[in-house]
Structure formats: structure tokens, C-alpha cells
């Protein structure tokens, strides 16, 4: 069964809707996500990009990660909320920040990445698989 996912940035200038199940959900502890979110990690989930309809203007900035892959971080230029992330390595997929969900309870992270970059003040769920 497909779930209907809806969400928005803090000021609601950007909204989205997807008729798709979440492909996978995770926590990312890389330094880029720490700076981007202002917290200890990013909580995000993946969807097929073809399944998501956005309204409003997403502003993106490009950055190469440590592996040399270009990523595009999408945010709202009015309220500054991080909303999306895209990697040129997986163009068919879009990552969406979990707290943008209208129903954040739909987010169930199953693994964590860049765990070695975790901050000691960020309490990580020890049950999450580290990949
Ligand atoms: Zn906004
Ligand atoms: Zn990250």
C-alpha cells in the first residue's frame, strides 16, 4: 500500500506531496549535515524523484563531498529550512529532511551514516545499524 506523504518548510513557501512509500530512512552525521541543520545530524528519507510534487521555489547550492560526488542541498530562501538533498550519483532519487513531514511519525530511520563524525553531545540511537 502506498502512503501519501506531505510536508513543508517552516514558513510553508515550499510544500510537497508524494504518493510513494519511503525507500529508506537514515541519520547522517557528516559534518556537512551538521552545519546544514545546525544540529548533530540530518534525519532524512529517500523517495523516487519522479514521485514527488513540489510547490514553491527550492534554492540549491552545490558541493562536492569527500568522494568527489556533487550534491545539491535544497532549502527555502525565505525561512532557511533545509528541505531536500540530491546526489549526482543517484539522480533518480531525492532525499527529504524528516522534520519537514506533516506527520513526522512516518519517519523510521533504519541506519546511520558517517557515525564516526558524530558529536559527543549528540545522543545517537545505539540500535541503528551503522553503514
Ligand atoms: Zn520556508
Ligand atoms: Zn550528511
Amino acid at each position: 500500500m502506498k502512503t501519501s506523504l506531505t510536508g513543508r518548510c517552516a514558513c510553508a513557501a515550499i510544500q510537497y506531496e508524494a504518493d510513494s512509500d519511503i525507500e529508506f530512512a537514515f541519520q547522517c552525521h557528516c559534518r556537512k549535515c551538521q552545519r546544514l541543520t545546525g544540529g548533530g545530524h540530518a534525519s532524512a528519507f529517500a523517495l523516487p524523484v519522479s514521485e514527488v510534487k513540489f510547490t514553491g521555489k527550492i534554492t540549491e547550492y552545490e558541493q562536492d563531498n569527500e568522494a568527489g560526488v556533487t550534491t545539491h542541498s535544497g532549502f527555502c530562501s525565505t525561512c532557511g529550512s533545509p528541505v531536500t538533498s540530491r546526489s549526482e550519483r543517484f539522480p533518480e532519487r531525492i532525499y527529504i529532511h524528516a522534520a519537514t513531514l506533516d506527520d513526522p511519525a512516518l519517519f523510521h530511520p533504519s541506519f546511520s551514516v558517517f557515525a564516526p563524525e558524530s558529536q559527543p553531545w549528540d545522543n545517537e540511537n545505539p540500535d541503528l545499524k551503522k553503514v
Side-chain angles (χ1 to χ4, degrees), residues 26-34 36 41-42 113-114:
F26 60 99
Q27 318 272 37
C28 181
H29 294 81
C30 80
R31 289 289 291 135
K32 181 188 154 195
C33 287
Q34 290 172 8
L36 188 80
H41 59 269
V113 293
F114 291 99

Side-chain angles (χ1 to χ4, degrees), residues 44-58:
F45 58 88
L47 289 176
V49 69
S50 55
E51 301 292 317
V52 195
K53 262 205 326 262
F54 288 97
T55 54
K57 187 180 179 305
I58 298 176

